[in-house]
mmCIF file of all heavy atoms in Angstrom:
data_model
loop_
_atom_site.group_PDB
_atom_site.id
_atom_site.type_symbol
_atom_site.label_atom_id
_atom_site.label_comp_id
_atom_site.label_asym_id
_atom_site.label_seq_id
_atom_site.Cartn_x
_atom_site.Cartn_y
_atom_site.Cartn_z
ATOM 1 N N GLU A 139 22.821 25.466 -24.724
ATOM 2 C CA GLU A 139 23.523 24.221 -25.016
ATOM 3 C C GLU A 139 24.488 23.907 -23.868
ATOM 4 O O GLU A 139 25.248 24.766 -23.422
ATOM 5 C CB GLU A 139 24.271 24.347 -26.335
ATOM 6 C CG GLU A 139 24.865 23.032 -26.807
ATOM 7 C CD GLU A 139 25.424 23.141 -28.216
ATOM 8 O OE1 GLU A 139 24.637 23.476 -29.136
ATOM 9 O OE2 GLU A 139 26.627 22.894 -28.395
ATOM 10 N N VAL A 140 24.423 22.665 -23.389
ATOM 11 C CA VAL A 140 25.249 22.291 -22.235
ATOM 12 C C VAL A 140 26.181 21.148 -22.599
ATOM 13 O O VAL A 140 25.969 20.420 -23.565
ATOM 14 C CB VAL A 140 24.366 21.871 -21.034
ATOM 15 C CG1 VAL A 140 23.522 23.032 -20.556
ATOM 16 C CG2 VAL A 140 23.494 20.669 -21.406
ATOM 17 N N SER A 141 27.230 21.016 -21.792
ATOM 18 C CA SER A 141 28.130 19.866 -21.883
ATOM 19 C C SER A 141 27.928 19.032 -20.625
ATOM 20 O O SER A 141 27.099 19.357 -19.774
ATOM 21 C CB SER A 141 29.580 20.352 -22.006
ATOM 22 O OG SER A 141 29.908 21.201 -20.915
ATOM 23 N N MET A 142 28.696 17.963 -20.482
ATOM 24 C CA MET A 142 28.530 17.084 -19.323
ATOM 25 C C MET A 142 28.999 17.786 -18.049
ATOM 26 O O MET A 142 30.157 17.700 -17.646
ATOM 27 C CB MET A 142 29.294 15.786 -19.543
ATOM 28 C CG MET A 142 28.589 14.800 -20.455
ATOM 29 S SD MET A 142 26.959 14.260 -19.867
ATOM 30 C CE MET A 142 27.407 13.270 -18.440
ATOM 31 N N ASN A 143 28.084 18.516 -17.417
ATOM 32 C CA ASN A 143 28.384 19.184 -16.165
ATOM 33 C C ASN A 143 27.882 18.353 -14.983
ATOM 34 O O ASN A 143 27.406 17.228 -15.163
ATOM 35 C CB ASN A 143 27.776 20.593 -16.145
ATOM 36 C CG ASN A 143 26.276 20.561 -16.439
ATOM 37 O OD1 ASN A 143 25.598 19.570 -16.139
ATOM 38 N ND2 ASN A 143 25.766 21.634 -17.029
ATOM 39 N N ALA A 144 27.945 18.919 -13.787
ATOM 40 C CA ALA A 144 27.549 18.190 -12.579
ATOM 41 C C ALA A 144 26.081 17.752 -12.638
ATOM 42 O O ALA A 144 25.737 16.636 -12.227
ATOM 43 C CB ALA A 144 27.800 19.060 -11.341
ATOM 44 N N GLU A 145 25.216 18.636 -13.150
ATOM 45 C CA GLU A 145 23.790 18.305 -13.225
ATOM 46 C C GLU A 145 23.545 17.109 -14.154
ATOM 47 O O GLU A 145 22.711 16.251 -13.879
ATOM 48 C CB GLU A 145 22.990 19.518 -13.711
ATOM 49 C CG GLU A 145 22.959 20.681 -12.735
ATOM 50 C CD GLU A 145 22.378 20.271 -11.387
ATOM 51 O OE1 GLU A 145 21.327 19.612 -11.371
ATOM 52 O OE2 GLU A 145 22.998 20.606 -10.352
ATOM 53 N N CYS A 146 24.279 17.070 -15.242
ATOM 54 C CA CYS A 146 24.129 15.953 -16.186
ATOM 55 C C CYS A 146 24.591 14.643 -15.554
ATOM 56 O O CYS A 146 23.953 13.598 -15.737
ATOM 57 C CB CYS A 146 24.925 16.236 -17.458
ATOM 58 S SG CYS A 146 24.262 17.588 -18.462
ATOM 59 N N TRP A 147 25.705 14.706 -14.813
ATOM 60 C CA TRP A 147 26.193 13.484 -14.156
ATOM 61 C C TRP A 147 25.208 12.996 -13.099
ATOM 62 O O TRP A 147 25.010 11.782 -12.935
ATOM 63 C CB TRP A 147 27.569 13.735 -13.529
ATOM 64 C CG TRP A 147 28.683 13.805 -14.533
ATOM 65 C CD1 TRP A 147 29.410 14.901 -14.893
ATOM 66 C CD2 TRP A 147 29.182 12.722 -15.331
ATOM 67 N NE1 TRP A 147 30.325 14.582 -15.859
ATOM 68 C CE2 TRP A 147 30.213 13.243 -16.156
ATOM 69 C CE3 TRP A 147 28.860 11.366 -15.441
ATOM 70 C CZ2 TRP A 147 30.922 12.470 -17.055
ATOM 71 C CZ3 TRP A 147 29.567 10.582 -16.348
ATOM 72 C CH2 TRP A 147 30.583 11.134 -17.140
ATOM 73 N N LYS A 148 24.573 13.911 -12.393
ATOM 74 C CA LYS A 148 23.562 13.519 -11.401
ATOM 75 C C LYS A 148 22.365 12.859 -12.092
ATOM 76 O O LYS A 148 21.836 11.857 -11.625
ATOM 77 C CB LYS A 148 23.089 14.747 -10.613
ATOM 78 C CG LYS A 148 24.137 15.360 -9.703
ATOM 79 C CD LYS A 148 23.618 16.654 -9.092
ATOM 80 C CE LYS A 148 24.692 17.361 -8.263
ATOM 81 N NZ LYS A 148 24.184 18.660 -7.728
ATOM 82 N N ALA A 149 21.947 13.449 -13.211
ATOM 83 C CA ALA A 149 20.834 12.874 -13.965
ATOM 84 C C ALA A 149 21.200 11.499 -14.513
ATOM 85 O O ALA A 149 20.383 10.568 -14.502
ATOM 86 C CB ALA A 149 20.435 13.809 -15.109
ATOM 87 N N LEU A 150 22.452 11.372 -14.981
ATOM 88 C CA LEU A 150 22.911 10.082 -15.486
ATOM 89 C C LEU A 150 22.912 9.039 -14.381
ATOM 90 O O LEU A 150 22.529 7.885 -14.600
ATOM 91 C CB LEU A 150 24.315 10.228 -16.076
ATOM 92 C CG LEU A 150 24.940 8.957 -16.671
ATOM 93 C CD1 LEU A 150 24.087 8.429 -17.824
ATOM 94 C CD2 LEU A 150 26.359 9.233 -17.153
ATOM 95 N N ALA A 151 23.306 9.444 -13.164
ATOM 96 C CA ALA A 151 23.279 8.526 -12.026
ATOM 97 C C ALA A 151 21.854 8.054 -11.753
ATOM 98 O O ALA A 151 21.619 6.879 -11.459
ATOM 99 C CB ALA A 151 23.852 9.216 -10.787
ATOM 100 N N GLY A 152 20.888 8.978 -11.870
ATOM 101 C CA GLY A 152 19.490 8.599 -11.683
ATOM 102 C C GLY A 152 19.006 7.627 -12.737
ATOM 103 O O GLY A 152 18.317 6.651 -12.434
ATOM 104 N N ALA A 153 19.385 7.886 -13.998
ATOM 105 C CA ALA A 153 18.972 7.007 -15.097
ATOM 106 C C ALA A 153 19.572 5.612 -14.947
ATOM 107 O O ALA A 153 18.885 4.604 -15.142
ATOM 108 C CB ALA A 153 19.384 7.625 -16.429
ATOM 109 N N VAL A 154 20.867 5.547 -14.600
ATOM 110 C CA VAL A 154 21.533 4.251 -14.420
ATOM 111 C C VAL A 154 20.933 3.503 -13.242
ATOM 112 O O VAL A 154 20.702 2.282 -13.300
ATOM 113 C CB VAL A 154 23.055 4.451 -14.209
ATOM 114 C CG1 VAL A 154 23.718 3.142 -13.806
ATOM 115 C CG2 VAL A 154 23.685 4.994 -15.481
ATOM 116 N N THR A 155 20.637 4.215 -12.157
ATOM 117 C CA THR A 155 20.009 3.593 -10.991
ATOM 118 C C THR A 155 18.647 3.009 -11.350
ATOM 119 O O THR A 155 18.309 1.895 -10.943
ATOM 120 C CB THR A 155 19.843 4.623 -9.857
ATOM 121 O OG1 THR A 155 21.122 5.119 -9.472
ATOM 122 C CG2 THR A 155 19.152 3.989 -8.649
ATOM 123 N N ALA A 156 17.868 3.775 -12.127
ATOM 124 C CA ALA A 156 16.552 3.286 -12.550
ATOM 125 C C ALA A 156 16.684 2.001 -13.356
ATOM 126 O O ALA A 156 15.921 1.042 -13.154
ATOM 127 C CB ALA A 156 15.844 4.364 -13.391
ATOM 128 N N PHE A 157 17.668 1.968 -14.239
ATOM 129 C CA PHE A 157 17.887 0.788 -15.075
ATOM 130 C C PHE A 157 18.295 -0.429 -14.240
ATOM 131 O O PHE A 157 17.724 -1.516 -14.358
ATOM 132 C CB PHE A 157 18.950 1.095 -16.124
ATOM 133 C CG PHE A 157 19.502 -0.112 -16.829
ATOM 134 C CD1 PHE A 157 18.685 -0.910 -17.608
ATOM 135 C CD2 PHE A 157 20.832 -0.468 -16.705
ATOM 136 C CE1 PHE A 157 19.178 -2.024 -18.254
ATOM 137 C CE2 PHE A 157 21.341 -1.574 -17.339
ATOM 138 C CZ PHE A 157 20.510 -2.365 -18.112
ATOM 139 N N LEU A 158 19.281 -0.238 -13.359
ATOM 140 C CA LEU A 158 19.784 -1.352 -12.553
ATOM 141 C C LEU A 158 18.732 -1.848 -11.569
ATOM 142 O O LEU A 158 18.575 -3.066 -11.360
ATOM 143 C CB LEU A 158 21.052 -0.924 -11.798
ATOM 144 C CG LEU A 158 22.276 -0.602 -12.674
ATOM 145 C CD1 LEU A 158 23.430 -0.098 -11.817
ATOM 146 C CD2 LEU A 158 22.699 -1.828 -13.481
ATOM 147 N N ALA A 159 17.993 -0.911 -10.963
ATOM 148 C CA ALA A 159 16.950 -1.304 -10.010
ATOM 149 C C ALA A 159 15.837 -2.068 -10.712
ATOM 150 O O ALA A 159 15.285 -3.030 -10.160
ATOM 151 C CB ALA A 159 16.387 -0.063 -9.320
ATOM 152 N N GLN A 160 15.527 -1.649 -11.939
ATOM 153 C CA GLN A 160 14.492 -2.365 -12.687
ATOM 154 C C GLN A 160 14.899 -3.807 -12.949
ATOM 155 O O GLN A 160 14.109 -4.731 -12.787
ATOM 156 C CB GLN A 160 14.226 -1.665 -14.015
ATOM 157 C CG GLN A 160 13.184 -2.376 -14.885
ATOM 158 C CD GLN A 160 13.357 -2.092 -16.356
ATOM 159 O OE1 GLN A 160 13.715 -0.987 -16.712
ATOM 160 N NE2 GLN A 160 13.106 -3.070 -17.193
ATOM 161 N N LEU A 161 16.149 -4.011 -13.350
ATOM 162 C CA LEU A 161 16.637 -5.363 -13.610
ATOM 163 C C LEU A 161 16.696 -6.191 -12.328
ATOM 164 O O LEU A 161 16.329 -7.362 -12.321
ATOM 165 C CB LEU A 161 18.028 -5.305 -14.248
ATOM 166 C CG LEU A 161 18.127 -4.696 -15.654
ATOM 167 C CD1 LEU A 161 19.563 -4.782 -16.162
ATOM 168 C CD2 LEU A 161 17.187 -5.394 -16.626
ATOM 169 N N TYR A 162 17.141 -5.574 -11.224
ATOM 170 C CA TYR A 162 17.304 -6.304 -9.969
ATOM 171 C C TYR A 162 15.950 -6.704 -9.379
ATOM 172 O O TYR A 162 15.755 -7.852 -8.971
ATOM 173 C CB TYR A 162 18.076 -5.448 -8.953
ATOM 174 C CG TYR A 162 18.322 -6.142 -7.634
ATOM 175 C CD1 TYR A 162 19.340 -7.086 -7.502
ATOM 176 C CD2 TYR A 162 17.518 -5.871 -6.527
ATOM 177 C CE1 TYR A 162 19.557 -7.733 -6.303
ATOM 178 C CE2 TYR A 162 17.729 -6.507 -5.319
ATOM 179 C CZ TYR A 162 18.743 -7.440 -5.214
ATOM 180 O OH TYR A 162 18.943 -8.089 -4.017
ATOM 181 N N PHE A 163 15.026 -5.761 -9.330
ATOM 182 C CA PHE A 163 13.717 -6.028 -8.734
ATOM 183 C C PHE A 163 12.701 -6.555 -9.734
ATOM 184 O O PHE A 163 11.598 -6.937 -9.353
ATOM 185 C CB PHE A 163 13.162 -4.751 -8.084
ATOM 186 C CG PHE A 163 13.935 -4.284 -6.884
ATOM 187 C CD1 PHE A 163 14.782 -3.190 -6.975
ATOM 188 C CD2 PHE A 163 13.821 -4.931 -5.670
ATOM 189 C CE1 PHE A 163 15.501 -2.747 -5.868
ATOM 190 C CE2 PHE A 163 14.537 -4.493 -4.550
ATOM 191 C CZ PHE A 163 15.374 -3.400 -4.650
ATOM 192 N N GLU A 164 13.072 -6.539 -11.023
ATOM 193 C CA GLU A 164 12.169 -6.948 -12.104
ATOM 194 C C GLU A 164 10.854 -6.172 -12.036
ATOM 195 O O GLU A 164 9.760 -6.725 -12.162
ATOM 196 C CB GLU A 164 11.915 -8.461 -12.065
ATOM 197 C CG GLU A 164 13.174 -9.282 -12.292
ATOM 198 C CD GLU A 164 12.910 -10.769 -12.317
ATOM 199 O OE1 GLU A 164 11.793 -11.176 -11.946
ATOM 200 O OE2 GLU A 164 13.800 -11.522 -12.739
ATOM 201 N N SER A 165 10.989 -4.876 -11.808
ATOM 202 C CA SER A 165 9.808 -4.023 -11.658
ATOM 203 C C SER A 165 10.110 -2.636 -12.200
ATOM 204 O O SER A 165 11.033 -1.959 -11.723
ATOM 205 C CB SER A 165 9.409 -3.926 -10.181
ATOM 206 O OG SER A 165 8.455 -2.902 -9.973
ATOM 207 N N LEU A 166 9.335 -2.194 -13.187
ATOM 208 C CA LEU A 166 9.510 -0.853 -13.736
ATOM 209 C C LEU A 166 9.190 0.249 -12.727
ATOM 210 O O LEU A 166 9.929 1.217 -12.612
ATOM 211 C CB LEU A 166 8.640 -0.676 -14.985
ATOM 212 C CG LEU A 166 9.254 -1.085 -16.331
ATOM 213 C CD1 LEU A 166 8.211 -0.958 -17.429
ATOM 214 C CD2 LEU A 166 10.464 -0.250 -16.659
ATOM 215 N N PRO A 167 8.095 0.131 -11.954
ATOM 216 C CA PRO A 167 7.812 1.187 -10.972
ATOM 217 C C PRO A 167 8.919 1.357 -9.939
ATOM 218 O O PRO A 167 9.291 2.487 -9.599
ATOM 219 C CB PRO A 167 6.504 0.718 -10.311
ATOM 220 C CG PRO A 167 5.862 -0.173 -11.304
ATOM 221 C CD PRO A 167 6.997 -0.846 -12.006
ATOM 222 N N ILE A 168 9.455 0.237 -9.433
ATOM 223 C CA ILE A 168 10.529 0.332 -8.448
ATOM 224 C C ILE A 168 11.762 0.983 -9.073
ATOM 225 O O ILE A 168 12.420 1.827 -8.458
ATOM 226 C CB ILE A 168 10.873 -1.058 -7.873
ATOM 227 C CG1 ILE A 168 9.703 -1.587 -7.041
ATOM 228 C CG2 ILE A 168 12.139 -0.996 -7.018
ATOM 229 C CD1 ILE A 168 9.921 -2.979 -6.483
ATOM 230 N N GLY A 169 12.075 0.589 -10.300
ATOM 231 C CA GLY A 169 13.217 1.183 -10.984
ATOM 232 C C GLY A 169 13.059 2.681 -11.140
ATOM 233 O O GLY A 169 13.986 3.449 -10.843
ATOM 234 N N ALA A 170 11.873 3.125 -11.585
ATOM 235 C CA ALA A 170 11.630 4.560 -11.770
ATOM 236 C C ALA A 170 11.690 5.307 -10.442
ATOM 237 O O ALA A 170 12.261 6.405 -10.355
ATOM 238 C CB ALA A 170 10.276 4.776 -12.437
ATOM 239 N N MET A 171 11.111 4.719 -9.387
ATOM 240 C CA MET A 171 11.141 5.379 -8.075
ATOM 241 C C MET A 171 12.567 5.509 -7.552
ATOM 242 O O MET A 171 12.939 6.542 -6.986
ATOM 243 C CB MET A 171 10.273 4.596 -7.076
ATOM 244 C CG MET A 171 8.785 4.793 -7.287
ATOM 245 S SD MET A 171 7.776 4.117 -5.944
ATOM 246 C CE MET A 171 8.021 2.346 -6.193
ATOM 247 N N CYS A 172 13.372 4.473 -7.737
ATOM 248 C CA CYS A 172 14.771 4.536 -7.303
ATOM 249 C C CYS A 172 15.534 5.618 -8.066
ATOM 250 O O CYS A 172 16.338 6.360 -7.488
ATOM 251 C CB CYS A 172 15.444 3.173 -7.496
ATOM 252 S SG CYS A 172 14.888 1.893 -6.333
ATOM 253 N N GLY A 173 15.285 5.714 -9.376
ATOM 254 C CA GLY A 173 15.933 6.739 -10.180
ATOM 255 C C GLY A 173 15.561 8.140 -9.720
ATOM 256 O O GLY A 173 16.418 9.017 -9.587
ATOM 257 N N LEU A 174 14.251 8.361 -9.463
ATOM 258 C CA LEU A 174 13.804 9.662 -8.979
ATOM 259 C C LEU A 174 14.401 9.975 -7.608
ATOM 260 O O LEU A 174 14.801 11.118 -7.335
ATOM 261 C CB LEU A 174 12.269 9.691 -8.898
ATOM 262 C CG LEU A 174 11.527 9.762 -10.238
ATOM 263 C CD1 LEU A 174 10.040 9.512 -10.038
ATOM 264 C CD2 LEU A 174 11.744 11.117 -10.903
#
């Protein structure tokens, strides 16, 4: 069981980036690639 550590914050940054990139480019693949 984990709490919000550095790895979680990095993953959250990836998830948020994927979301924002998807909205900006209007493309799910681009959003997912940016998140990864």
Side-chain angles (χ1 to χ4, degrees):
E139 188 172 301
V140 296
S141 56
M142 282 300 291
N143 54 29
E145 293 302 313
C146 291
W147 285 111
K148 292 174 185 177
L150 181 61
V154 171
T155 299
F157 166 63
L158 294 176
Q160 178 206 324
L161 294 183
Y162 181 79
F163 293 105
E164 297 183 349
S165 168
L166 272 175
I168 293 177
M171 285 190 291
C172 289
L174 287 169

